[in-house]
Amino acid sequence: MSGPELRLGEELISPLHPLYDGLQVDGAPRPAHLAPDHPVWVVTRYADAKKVLSHPGVRRDAKQAAELYAKRTGERREAIGASLTAHMLNADPPDHTRLRALVGRAFTSRRVERLRPHIEQLTDELLDAMAAREQADLMGDFAVPLTIGVICELLGVPPAERDHVRSAWERQAELLAPEAAEALAEEQADYLRGLLEAKRRDPADDVFSALVQAADEDGLTATELVAMSHLLLMAGFETTMNMIGNAVVTLLLHPEQAASLRENPDLLPNALEELVRYDSAVRASMLRFTVEDVDLGDVTIPAGEYVLVSNLTANHDPERFADPDRLDLTRKADGHLGYGHGVHYCVGAPLARLEARVAIGKLLARFPDLRLAVPHGELVWLPITFLRALISVPVIPQPVLTGRTSA
């Protein structure tokens, strides 16, 4: 492997999952291991990443992936929470096309835009609460309740049940043992079955009601309906909350860039794309496998191999982004892989962008002297392969006395 080692600025080097040790932004695809018995090819270059994410010979189908694992190891593993996995992220066309079309009909841009007043109100309420504290947690007091509140409002989770959603997510994030994880998955499946049946009996103007109607009209199985609902609920806030957390921490580490953004709020939409490129909440795309030989430059990944695309390194490829390890909020970062690429491009990207624009814009204006309450090196991240997820970010708000601002 040739080229310089991956260096994304001191704040991005650690912690990295051991899989990423020694990765190179411009290195050729290389074999590695997710586990001792789980070999995988790791793709780091931008052009290679885009090719893999859109290649017809690279698949995501969960059943075929399990069959490949059994063939290679002689061991058949049952997926944890199988009742929640029959969704579009684990499917290829034509099943993926069918499932995504149902979501697209329920998850319209008009419905997302109608959430703006709710996002602004919830953001203001959370900032009010932060302003009353000498120290707050950017994640637990802001990013988490904001994004959970927004997705629950969009999907139609009753307000009285939203604490249940947060509790289930917190338990899931504890990296539970297989038995506990399976029990939690079944608990969530039962909860969603009950909620969806309530929507069928008494539909409202929300995504879950629309999804139930679409499912009934298009023959979605009961298992697919529950799994898709779980995907929309959990994926609908998890990556967005991490995106907000990572972006704000990045700005706190680059105060001159944050000051420029405060002085020029119109820069925010462009700045958000650069912030996502610079430190994406998606460290790597979900695992894929080849069903035919795939040529990537001088390297051919044979059929029957697992492939992991490192979105983080691809977004720092100097062949695609000049001086990629420098944060530049004026950079045209279009085409970054922070929301994926190809048929699995994030369906919730418009909502994530809207939430981040409101949340970060109001946060910066309300707390111009916001700062970390602990050294950056003491921040704790979840030790997982696919996400860059901060557990907690203690901050000192020091609010502006004039109160609320618009975004």
Side-chain angles (χ1 to χ4, degrees):
M1 191 186 306
S2 62
E5 290 187 357
L6 169 63
R7 299 202 179 279
L8 309 181
E10 183 178 353
E11 67 274 12
L12 297 187
I13 293 174
S14 179
L16 287 175
H17 188 281
L19 175 72
Y20 298 91
D21 289 347
L23 280 191
Q24 299 168 303
V25 174
D26 59 349
R30 63 152 188 168
H33 284 80
L34 282 174
D37 61 347
H38 203 325
V40 61
W41 285 82
V42 180
V43 174
T44 61
R45 294 181 297 206
Y46 180 87
D48 291 343
K50 285 194 69 176
K51 185 172 183 179
V52 167
L53 293 176
S54 59
H55 199 290
V58 182
R59 306 284 177 81
R60 276 281 307 143
D61 184 84
K63 291 182 180 179
Q64 290 186 47
E67 291 169 0
L68 174 60
Y69 183 84
K71 179 180 179 181
R72 298 187 63 157
T73 66
E75 176 185 353
R76 181 167 292 278
R77 287 185 177 178
E78 296 298 327
I80 294 175
S83 59
L84 298 177
T85 61
H87 52 65
M88 62 187 182
L89 287 189
N90 290 328
D92 298 308
D95 283 342
H96 174 272
T97 307
R98 172 177 60 89
L99 294 171
R100 187 171 178 118
L102 292 176
V103 175
R105 285 158 51 184
F107 213 87
T108 63
S109 57
R110 177 185 297 179
R111 193 186 296 273
V112 168
E113 183 58 33
R114 278 165 42 194
L115 279 172
R116 182 184 291 272
H118 178 74
I119 297 171
E120 292 177 342
Q121 178 182 352
L122 183 53
T123 299
D124 283 332
E125 291 172 355
L126 293 169
L127 293 178
D128 285 346
M130 287 178 64
R133 302 186 180 102
E134 292 185 2
Q135 181 173 309
D137 179 3
L138 178 69
M139 303 306 295
D141 295 329
F142 186 63
V144 174
L146 173 63
T147 53
I148 288 179
V150 170
I151 196 62
C152 285
E153 183 74 14
L154 176 67
L155 297 180
V157 178
E161 299 177 15
R162 295 176 187 182
D163 285 344
H164 165 82
V165 174
R166 179 166 182 169
S167 175
W169 168 76
E170 288 174 342
R171 290 165 61 195
Q172 177 180 297
E174 290 174 357
L175 306 179
L176 302 173
E179 296 81 5
E182 184 65 45
L184 176 59
E186 285 307 310
E187 177 186 314
Q188 280 299 94
D190 287 342
Y191 166 73
L192 286 168
R193 290 187 192 103
L195 177 57
L196 293 167
E197 185 56 37
K199 296 294 182 184
R200 181 174 282 110
R201 293 192 307 267
D202 185 18
D205 185 17
D206 57 52
V207 167
F208 274 169
S209 295
L211 189 61
V212 167
Q213 180 182 357
D216 291 346
E217 293 173 353
D218 290 271
L220 201 66
T221 69
T223 298
E224 288 174 328
L225 177 59
V226 169
M228 287 292 290
S229 300
H230 181 262
L231 173 67
L232 293 177
L233 181 58
M234 292 300 175
F237 71 85
E238 189 170 37
T239 53
T240 306
M241 75 181 191
N242 292 323
M243 180 181 87
I244 292 171
N246 294 358
V248 173
V249 169
T250 296
L251 289 170
L252 294 180
L253 295 172
H254 298 81
E256 73 293 342
Q257 295 276 312
S260 175
L261 190 54
R262 286 191 189 94
E263 294 170 2
N264 183 14
D266 291 340
L267 180 62
L268 188 54
N270 189 84
L272 287 176
E273 300 306 309
E274 168 68 352
L275 288 163
V276 172
R277 179 203 69 83
Y278 186 82
D279 193 8
S280 171
V282 178
R283 178 181 288 175
S285 293
M286 300 300 289
L287 198 63
R288 287 160 166 77
F289 60 94
T290 56
V291 294
E292 62 184 64
D293 292 354
V294 176
D295 295 326
L296 300 174
D298 296 332
V299 173
T300 297
I301 300 179
E305 297 284 342
Y306 290 100
V307 183
L308 183 141
V309 172
S310 175
N311 302 52
L312 181 64
T313 56
N315 282 337
H316 284 255
D317 186 341
E319 292 297 317
R320 174 61 179 83
F321 300 102
D323 197 7
D325 301 337
R326 179 175 61 88
L327 180 70
D328 178 4
L329 301 185
T330 66
R331 181 199 305 270
K332 297 302 180 184
D334 311 56
H336 66 75
L337 302 182
Y339 298 110
H341 178 70
V343 298
H344 289 284
Y345 184 84
C346 179
V347 70
L351 177 60
R353 287 183 168 108
L354 176 59
E355 288 183 74
R357 179 175 181 177
V358 172
I360 295 175
K362 284 179 171 289
L363 181 75
L364 290 177
R366 184 75 178 274
F367 303 126
D369 296 319
L370 183 74
R371 65 182 188 275
L372 292 174
V374 299
H376 175 259
E378 294 183 10
L379 297 180
V380 180
W381 303 72
L382 279 174
I384 53 181
T385 307
F386 298 102
L387 296 178
R388 272 183 62 79
L390 284 156
I391 295 176
S392 176
V393 181
V395 292
I396 299 173
Q398 294 190 344
V400 173
L401 297 179
T402 53
R404 299 177 179 179
T405 59
S406 61

